[in-house]
Each structure stands twice: as structure tokens, then as C-alpha cells.
Amino acid sequence: MNLNSRTLTILISLAVALVLTAFLALATYFSSKGLIVALVVVFISCFLLVYFSYEALILREIKNVYSSLERIKRQDSRKAEGRSFFTADPLLKIKNEIYEIAAKKQLEIDELKRLQTMRSEFLADVSHELKTPIFAAQGFIHTLLDGAVDDVAVRDKFLQKAANSLDGLDTLVQDLISISQLEKGVIKMQKRNFDVVPLVKEVFEQLEQKAAERHITLHLEAQPGEHVNLHADPNRIRQVFINLIDNAIKYGRNGGNIWVSFNEGKKKFTITVADDGKGIAEEHINRIFERFYRIDKSRARTEGGSGLGLAISKHIIEAHRSFIAISSVVGKGSTLRFKLPKAK
């Protein structure tokens, strides 16, 4: 049977009073019957003494414990107003409060563990990404220093490879700086009105050779003379299109297609970048925007890139108070969508 604290107090008081009264009754069993009144007085006195001692001493300490719990909760939730202590069952309330705080602390511990795991993975990834171009450049340069510099053809070839490795290293470092600044909110979006259609055409021209190498056709689904006027940072949005389309080219199929389209809403345009490549498996969908996350690590390294393009794109779109949604079917392709406000 579950008893609340006040009922337990009454039972304890009754028990103590009965025991003391019983002892007195035995001692005065053969004495005057007038002592019955005294026994009643002793019983009531003992009961009240124990009860109010419990209320004054134990419940006061319970109140202090509860006040401490309230302070902890206010620190966690930043709520300035406390709640009343007086309840029908303060012990039960304290138990529930302790369980609640313990549950919150466990969630915080789990989140800290998750962040620690992500931090460890990030350090391992960035170390590997930095090591690869550095070791490659070192190898080419040391080969030249060992005597290959005298062969003009080998010298030029190795110097070019070393330069390419260092260019890749510079791109990686710049991307790391960019994503760090985006996450900290250091980079402010320079928003203005602009037509995104010519911007996408410029990106197509920039990437058309890379697409042609894999016989991929780039499609801009806009009518001749159509304008899609947005209010955003054009340089950052250009970076988003470059990252998304370049990624679609890398992982698309030979002879495939990439489409960029716009759907006008009441206040925003929905922008879609779609391909008919091999698609993305369900277990990778929620992770492709993580830093350095690659679905096919071996192939991705041969294709180049820092592994930060999608993560940077995600942060840029979020800085415009939007988000990128992705849907994909293995063997049929992937579609990425995000919304941007119309020109003011």
C-alpha cells in the first residue's frame, strides 16, 4: 500500500503515542482510575509532539531540498518563477522532480557523447584530408630533389602534380575557414535583388566541360526571357549551385541529365536541382550534409573536392532562413530543394 508523507507522519505519531501510553498504563494499572485522564493527556501530548516535530524538522529539510531542486531547474530552463512547495505529498513531488532532472541530465550526457564522437570523427577526417595532399606534394618534390629535376619532362610533370596537390590543400583550408565562419555566424549574407536565371547559366558554363567529360547534359527549365528575381546573396547562392551541380556531376551516371527548375510561390521560389543518377541509399540521406561525409569514399577522393561542399551549401541556405530538403531513389536519381524569398 502506498502512503503519502502526511499519512505516514500521522501513523508514526500514533504508534509512538500508543507505545508510551501503553507503558504508562501498565505502570498505573492498579492505581487510581483518575489516571485514565492523565493517560489520555499523555497520549494526545505524545501524538502532537511527534507530529509537529516531524512537520517542523523533517519537512523543513524537505523544503530546503525542494528549493535546491527548484534552483537547479531554473538554471537549466532559465525560468525565473519558482513553484509553490506546499503540496499534499511533498516527498512524492520531490521524487518526481529528481527523476525529471535526472532524465534531463541524461539527455545532456547523451548529447555530449554524440558531440564528442562527431568531434573525434571530424578530427580524424580533417587530419586525413590534410595529410593526403601534403604527402603527395612531398613525394613529388623529394623525387625532384633526389635527381629527377635534371630531366625537364619529369620535372615539369612532377611540379605540376605538386602544384595541383597544394591547390587542393588550399581549397580545403579555405572551405574549412568558410564553414567555420558560417557556423559561427561571422559571415553575413549580402542580400540584394537579382535574377537567378543568368547566374545559373554562368554556373552551367563553368561546369559544362566537366559535365561533357561524362556526357552529362545540363538543363535549365526556364522559358526564354523568363526572370526569376530573388532577394538573397548572389555570390553565396552561386556557391550553392556550383556545389550542388558539381556534386551531381561527380555522382551522376554517364550520359545522364541534371535539371535546375524554379517553382513560384506566394512569397518564395522553390528551387530544385535534380539528376537521374544512381541515387542515394536511405542510410546515407541524413548524413550527406555532414562535413567530409562521402558515400563512396574511394571514388570521391579520385574525383577531388574537399568533401565540404554540401555542408557549406546547407549553412548558406540556413543563413537565408531556409533549408535544403533531399529525396532520392536508388537507381533513379536524387532531388534537392530549397526556398528563397522573392525580390523586394
Side-chain angles (χ1 to χ4, degrees):
M1 179 175 62
N2 295 325
L3 300 176
N4 62 36
S5 59
R6 198 167 297 278
T7 302
L8 188 61
T9 301
I10 295 172
L11 291 176
I12 292 173
S13 302
L14 282 171
V16 172
L18 286 171
V19 169
L20 291 175
T21 303
F23 276 114
L24 290 173
L26 289 174
T28 59
Y29 181 73
F30 298 103
S31 301
S32 173
K33 295 183 179 180
L35 288 177
I36 295 175
V37 176
L39 292 176
V40 173
V41 171
V42 169
F43 174 81
I44 295 173
S45 299
C46 291
F47 175 81
L48 293 176
L49 177 63
V50 175
Y51 181 80
F52 286 111
S53 296
Y54 178 88
E55 289 285 331
L57 297 176
I58 299 178
L59 289 185
R60 183 179 63 187
E61 294 304 316
I62 292 174
K63 183 176 180 179
N64 291 336
V65 172
Y66 187 77
S67 298
S68 299
L69 290 173
E70 282 293 305
R71 285 195 295 273
I72 293 173
K73 290 187 68 178
R74 284 198 296 271
Q75 289 173 0
D76 288 343
S77 62
R78 302 302 181 191
K79 293 180 180 178
E81 297 298 328
R83 287 177 291 183
S84 174
F85 163 73
F86 298 101
T87 63
D89 192 353
L91 289 177
L92 178 60
K93 187 171 185 181
I94 287 179
K95 182 188 75 172
N96 293 335
E97 295 288 353
I98 290 173
Y99 283 157
E100 183 181 344
I101 291 174
K104 288 182 179 179
K105 294 301 180 185
Q106 186 60 50
L107 290 175
E108 292 178 5
I109 291 171
D110 293 341
E111 179 65 11
L112 288 173
K113 288 181 179 179
R114 187 185 70 83
L115 292 175
Q116 179 61 37
T117 301
M118 289 180 61
R119 188 180 299 111
S120 299
E121 291 178 353
F122 172 72
L123 289 175
D125 287 336
V126 74
S127 298
H128 183 81
E129 296 293 338
L130 290 170
K131 178 179 68 177
T132 302
I134 290 173
F135 279 8
Q138 277 183 325
F140 295 132
I141 292 172
H142 282 297
T143 302
L144 293 175
L145 291 175
D146 289 340
V149 70
D150 296 328
D151 188 329
V152 176
V154 173
R155 180 189 65 196
D156 292 344
K157 180 180 179 181
F158 276 30
L159 284 175
Q160 184 59 52
K161 288 186 176 182
N164 292 339
S165 295
L166 294 175
D167 287 342
L169 179 61
D170 178 66
T171 299
L172 174 60
V173 172
Q174 293 300 322
D175 283 350
L176 282 171
I177 293 172
S178 295
I179 198 168
S180 176
Q181 291 175 333
L182 285 166
E183 288 178 343
K184 293 178 180 178
V186 175
I187 298 178
K188 302 299 181 183
M189 299 295 108
Q190 305 298 320
K191 298 179 182 180
R192 61 179 177 85
N193 295 338
F194 69 97
D195 186 356
V196 73
V197 172
L199 184 147
V200 175
K201 290 180 179 178
E202 291 175 10
V203 173
F204 278 7
E205 291 173 1
Q206 181 178 341
L207 297 174
E208 64 180 353
Q209 183 176 353
K210 192 171 186 178
E213 291 173 358
R214 303 199 60 198
H215 308 289
I216 292 176
T217 305
L218 305 177
H219 305 272
L220 175 58
E221 296 189 337
Q223 298 299 323
E226 182 180 355
H227 299 284
V228 178
N229 295 314
L230 303 176
H231 182 74
D233 186 329
N235 292 324
R236 295 296 174 183
I237 298 305
R238 177 185 285 105
Q239 190 175 3
V240 170
F241 278 115
I242 290 173
N243 289 336
L244 297 184
I245 296 171
D246 180 68
N247 197 70
I249 293 171
K250 285 179 184 177
Y251 296 99
R253 63 181 179 84
N254 290 329
N257 299 274
I258 297 172
W259 297 270
V260 175
S261 60
F262 310 96
N263 184 25
E264 185 175 3
K266 187 175 180 180
K267 295 182 178 180
K268 296 181 178 181
F269 277 97
T270 299
I271 302 169
T272 303
V273 179
D275 65 70
D276 56 359
K278 63 180 183 179
I280 302 171
E282 184 67 28
E283 63 266 24
H284 299 297
I285 288 289
N286 294 328
R287 300 197 62 188
I288 63 167
F289 293 107
E290 293 180 12
R291 292 172 293 186
F292 297 118
Y293 187 79
R294 290 186 169 106
I295 298 172
D296 187 346
K297 296 183 182 294
S298 59
R299 180 182 175 186
R301 300 198 191 285
T302 62
E303 296 286 350
S306 66
L308 296 170
L310 290 180
I312 290 174
S313 299
K314 172 179 174 286
H315 283 292
I316 290 174
I317 296 302
E318 287 178 349
H320 285 80
R321 298 186 178 182
S322 185
F323 64 94
I324 298 181
I326 180 170
S327 58
S328 185
V329 178
V330 175
K332 293 187 177 181
S334 304
T335 301
L336 294 99
R337 294 184 179 87
F338 57 94
K339 293 183 179 183
L340 291 174
K342 292 181 179 180
K344 295 182 179 179

